[in-house]
């Protein structure tokens, strides 16, 4: 997405001037050395997992204590230029990492395509408990938790604009109609947040990326027409542009966190958040509805399903099992426990966490 945004900005400027441990059909993999499993994980994800996922850490300690199986982490520094090569090299080793942690920013598809990921849909008893809609077609990715970042609107702005509030069944078209009325009232500062909304689904809508041939295709009439329309939108008068800003300034504003441009737009956006039609800084899981109800009453928020960015409708965290990993059977036992009713209920009860369970069998307990 970052690459696509840069390309579009360039072109605009150019144009402008049940049980917790049972496993079914477990494969036979001999344990190599001591009873242990290893989780391959990026450094950023490791920090997040250790600090923000207390249920996972409690379960890990209990699993180690009760099963006598050590759960280790193989942490790869994502700042390393050879990060991807290091990851791949480890996955082709015999008795390599048992599990691969998949964050919302990671892709497991390449692991399936390269024959690294083990098909596990018939090897985990508790895999059947996962919501069918979040299972991948290959049966190789094991989601453990999920999150839905909603769109949060300011009710006060709706009152000023005398616009009727949308319902839960609203659409992307509904949002942009409301957005147009807001922009027509008064031009707004051009920010990364407003721009990204416009191009949130560009890769899917224009078929920019050809995954089969691993190619990007932007040299066609449909993309060129889209760029022209987008340029017209940016220069339509709806947005306040800085006369002295070049492409370099806008690049810094989007991506360079230590730059003055980035800091300035973040500060002004935070300051004006209550005046925007939409709040940009709401990072709560809409699936945990009790906490959101309080925000709706006290802060006068309108909290609705994500309809603007298709890629962010449902965010998943989980694992892939490495075919060549050490003690794969123990890794499967570890994952099976993470999906059991007791652990998934604890995920729901953890008020300090964003995570929501993926186990559909506990729905009735959640309602109670």
């Amino acid at each position: 997405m970052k690459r696509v945004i840069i390309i579009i900005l360039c072109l605009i400027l150019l144009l402008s001037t049940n049980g917790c441990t049972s496993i079914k059909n477990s494969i036979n993999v001999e344990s190599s050395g001591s009873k242990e499993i290893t989780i391959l994980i990026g450094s950023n994800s490791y920090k997040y997992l250790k600090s923000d996922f207390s249920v996972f850490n409690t379960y890990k300690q209990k699993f180690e204590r009760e099963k006598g199986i050590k759960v280790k982490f193989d942490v790869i520094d994502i700042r390393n230029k050879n990060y991807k090569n290091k990851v791949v090299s480890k996955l082709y080793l015999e008795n390599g990492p048992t599990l691969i942690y998949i964050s919302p920013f990671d892709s497991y598809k390449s692991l399936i395509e390269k024959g690294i990921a083990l098909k596990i849909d018939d090897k985990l008893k508790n895999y059947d408990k996962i919501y069918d809609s979040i299972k991948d077609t290959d049966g190789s990715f094991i989601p453990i938790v999920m999150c839905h970042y909603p769109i949060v609107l300011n009710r006060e702005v709706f009152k000023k604009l005398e616009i009727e509030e949308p319902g839960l069944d609203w659409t992307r078209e509904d949002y942009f109609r409301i957005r147009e009325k807001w922009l027509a009232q008064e031009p707004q500062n051009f920010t990364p947040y407003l721009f990204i909304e416009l191009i949130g689904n560009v890769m899917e809508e224009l078929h920019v990326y050809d995954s089969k041939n691993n190619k990007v295709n932007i040299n066609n009439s449909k993309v060129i027409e889209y760029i022209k329309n987008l340029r017209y939108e940016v220069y339509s008068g709806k947005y306040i542009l800085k006369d002295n800003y070049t492409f370099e300034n806008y690049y810094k504003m989007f991506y360079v966190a230590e730059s003055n441009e980035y800091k300035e737009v973040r500060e002004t956006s935070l300051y004006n958040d209550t005046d925007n039609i939409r709040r940009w800084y709401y990072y709560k899981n809409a699936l945990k509805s009790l906490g959101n109800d309080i925000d709706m009453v006290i802060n006068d928020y309108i909290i609705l399903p994500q309809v603007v960015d298709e890629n962010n409708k449902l965010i998943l965290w989980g694992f892939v099992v490495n075919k060549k990993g050490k003690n794969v059977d123990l890794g499967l036992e570890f994952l099976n426990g993470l999906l059991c009713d007791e652990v998934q209920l604890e995920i729901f009860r953890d008020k300090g966490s964003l995570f929501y369970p993926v186990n559909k069998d506990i729905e009735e307990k959640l309602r109670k």
Side-chain angles (χ1 to χ4, degrees):
M1 175 58 74
K2 175 179 175 181
R3 191 174 299 168
V4 173
I5 295 173
I6 294 171
I7 291 170
I8 289 171
L9 276 171
C10 284
L11 290 172
I12 287 175
L13 289 165
L14 284 171
L15 286 168
S16 66
T17 60
N18 289 18
C20 277
T21 57
S22 57
I23 302 173
K24 63 180 182 180
N25 301 328
S26 179
I27 60 173
N28 294 318
V29 179
E30 293 184 4
S31 296
S32 173
S34 60
K35 292 179 70 176
E36 66 177 33
I37 61 173
T38 302
I39 299 173
L40 186 66
I41 187 169
S43 52
N44 278 9
S45 294
Y46 178 70
K47 290 177 185 177
Y48 189 69
L49 191 71
K50 295 293 284 184
S51 60
D52 292 353
F53 198 175
S54 60
V55 175
F56 175 87
N57 293 301
T58 301
Y59 167 76
K60 172 183 170 291
Q61 293 169 15
K62 183 179 179 183
F63 182 85
E64 290 177 318
R65 184 174 64 251
E66 294 182 354
K67 303 293 179 181
I69 300 168
K70 183 66 178 174
V71 181
K72 299 169 64 178
F73 290 99
D74 187 352
V75 183
I76 308 294
D77 189 347
I78 65 168
R79 296 170 298 178
N80 191 303
K81 291 181 180 179
N82 296 318
Y83 168 72
K84 289 185 178 179
N85 291 334
K86 282 193 171 187
V87 170
V88 171
S89 64
K90 287 177 179 288
L91 296 177
Y92 282 108
L93 293 172
E94 293 294 335
N95 294 317
T98 319
L99 308 174
I100 307 156
Y101 180 76
I102 306 295
S103 79
F105 308 105
D106 300 321
S107 173
Y108 59 85
K109 294 296 183 182
S110 62
L111 300 176
I112 296 171
E113 292 168 359
K114 292 176 181 177
I116 292 169
L118 178 71
K119 193 172 184 293
I120 50 79
D121 55 346
D122 60 343
K123 296 177 177 63
L124 289 180
K125 179 180 178 181
N126 288 333
Y127 185 81
D128 294 338
K129 296 174 179 284
I130 298 173
Y131 289 98
D132 292 335
S133 59
I134 62 174
K135 293 177 181 176
D136 73 293
T137 55
D138 299 283
S140 298
F141 173 61
I142 308 99
I144 301 299
V145 290
M146 59 183 172
C147 177
H148 177 75
Y149 291 115
I151 289 181
V152 180
L153 307 174
N154 284 313
R155 182 169 280 114
E156 279 301 314
V157 178
F158 273 74
K159 290 177 182 176
K160 290 178 184 177
L161 295 174
E162 298 181 343
I163 301 175
E164 185 180 349
E165 295 179 16
L168 291 171
D169 59 347
W170 76 326
T171 64
R172 190 168 189 263
E173 290 71 27
D174 292 332
Y175 172 72
F176 277 98
R177 276 195 294 270
I178 294 167
R179 187 181 190 268
E180 282 297 303
K181 290 182 180 179
W182 172 59
L183 290 170
Q185 184 192 47
E186 184 180 359
Q188 300 295 320
N189 288 317
F190 182 68
T191 66
Y193 318 107
L194 288 172
F195 185 66
I196 288 171
E197 278 188 338
L198 297 172
I199 64 169
N201 304 312
V202 64
M203 291 184 73
E204 290 72 29
E205 291 174 355
L206 299 179
H207 307 291
V208 170
Y209 179 58
D210 179 0
S211 58
K212 186 176 180 181
N213 299 307
N214 196 26
K215 291 182 179 179
V216 173
N217 179 22
I218 60 171
N219 189 20
N220 61 68
S221 59
K222 193 173 181 180
V223 172
I224 292 170
E225 185 64 24
Y226 174 84
I227 295 294
K228 287 180 178 178
N229 291 336
L230 188 59
R231 177 189 177 277
Y232 177 79
E233 169 72 19
V234 172
Y235 289 95
S236 64
K238 301 173 189 174
Y239 311 95
I240 302 170
L241 303 169
K242 292 181 179 287
D243 293 334
N244 61 330
Y245 262 34
T246 64
F247 171 77
E248 184 180 355
N249 294 120
Y250 282 113
Y251 177 86
K252 288 179 179 178
M253 187 175 79
F254 272 68
Y255 300 117
V256 185
E258 63 273 15
S259 70
N260 291 331
E261 292 89 343
Y262 186 98
K263 291 174 183 176
E264 182 183 345
V265 75
R266 183 174 175 82
E267 287 173 7
T268 54
S269 297
L270 276 168
Y271 182 78
N272 296 320
D273 210 30
T274 54
D275 299 322
N276 293 327
I277 193 71
R278 174 181 175 183
R279 286 190 169 266
W280 306 109
Y281 301 99
Y282 189 86
Y283 300 115
K284 292 185 181 180
N285 191 345
L287 300 175
K288 290 194 168 185
S289 56
L290 291 177
N292 295 318
D293 284 350
I294 295 170
D295 281 336
M296 292 173 78
V297 174
I298 295 177
N299 296 314
D300 233 7
Y301 293 169
I302 305 169
I303 301 178
L304 297 170
Q306 168 64 254
V307 293
V308 175
D309 189 353
E310 290 289 331
N311 294 321
N312 283 324
K313 281 197 170 179
L314 198 63
I315 301 170
L316 304 172
W317 287 260
F319 293 89
V320 164
V321 180
N322 180 13
K323 276 184 182 178
K324 294 187 176 183
K326 178 169 63 175
N327 298 330
V328 170
D329 53 343
L330 301 182
L332 289 168
E333 187 173 357
F334 179 78
L335 294 178
N336 202 63
L338 278 172
L339 292 171
C340 77
D341 294 3
E342 293 87 343
V343 174
Q344 291 282 301
L345 273 170
E346 284 305 313
I347 290 169
F348 176 77
R349 293 192 183 106
D350 186 1
K351 294 180 180 179
S353 170
L354 274 176
F355 301 124
Y356 190 85
V358 297
N359 181 331
K360 64 179 183 293
D361 287 7
I362 63 172
E363 278 189 350
E364 189 56 37
K365 293 178 182 178
L366 299 189
R367 288 193 189 96
K368 291 180 181 178

